Amino acid sequence: MIPIELLSPVHVGLRAGYLRNSHATIDAICPTCGIYSNGSGNGVEAALFTELPLHFERRLDVVLGVGYDDRGGDLGDATISNLTVLDPNTNVYVPLVRKSSYHAKLGYLTITTGLRARPVPRYPAYAAVSLDVGLPLGSSAQYTETEQI
């Protein structure tokens, strides 16, 4: 009997998942806000992929995919207190502390290509290598900066 996976020359699937993003701030200096810290965010991914066999017994497949990733989040905070103001309650000059926060929604079109191998035909274990390329979608990017005193 021929396994069902050998009868289907091409496999197509949908992948969805949760993303945890880390954003490293490099030289993000705002003249009026200070230096921003590193940030993080949460997002989702969804992709459509296909597996094309390179070997008759499906021991080696090419994997191709396209999808969307949301890599936004809180990109960091900057706190500055270079001004002093008179506190009306104590009649003493105190530092005016300002905190700026930067939040972004960053959508990416992802393109994936790779190889998937099944070294031992009897066992459903795979080894895979892939290359993912993320292209920022300019129309989906949204940035918000807030300031707190």
Side-chain angles (χ1 to χ4, degrees):
M1 180 166 176
I2 299 174
I4 190 72
E5 64 188 22
L6 298 181
L7 298 176
S8 174
V10 175
H11 294 166
V12 176
L14 180 65
R15 181 181 69 228
Y18 166 80
L19 300 175
R20 179 74 179 150
N21 309 309
S22 295
H23 302 279
T25 302
I26 301 170
D27 297 331
I29 300 172
C30 171
T32 59
C33 315
I35 300 173
Y36 279 92
S37 64
N38 294 335
S40 63
N42 302 305
V44 294
E45 73 166 337
L48 182 65
F49 68 93
T50 184
E51 297 169 347
L52 307 167
L54 287 181
H55 186 271
F56 175 70
E57 294 178 3
R58 295 207 71 107
R59 292 187 61 191
L60 184 63
D61 294 340
V62 172
V63 179
L64 303 171
V66 64
Y68 173 81
D69 287 359
D70 176 14
R71 297 182 183 168
D74 296 320
L75 300 183
D77 298 321
T79 304
I80 191 168
S81 61
N82 59 354
L83 300 172
T84 57
V85 294
L86 181 62
D87 182 353
N89 296 327
T90 62
N91 207 24
V92 175
Y93 283 93
V94 295
L96 174 67
V97 178
R98 297 182 330 188
K99 178 182 176 185
S100 297
S101 299
Y102 201 71
H103 181 81
K105 291 184 73 81
L106 304 170
Y108 281 80
L109 173 70
T110 55
I111 300 169
T112 303
T113 183
L115 293 173
R116 186 185 80 153
R118 187 175 65 188
V120 182
R122 292 182 179 201
Y123 300 103
Y126 299 94
V129 61
S130 69
L131 173 67
D132 293 0
V133 176
L135 305 170
L137 298 173
S139 61
S140 71
Q142 297 175 0
Y143 303 95
T144 306
E145 184 178 357
T146 58
E147 184 175 82
Q148 235 177 352
I149 296 178

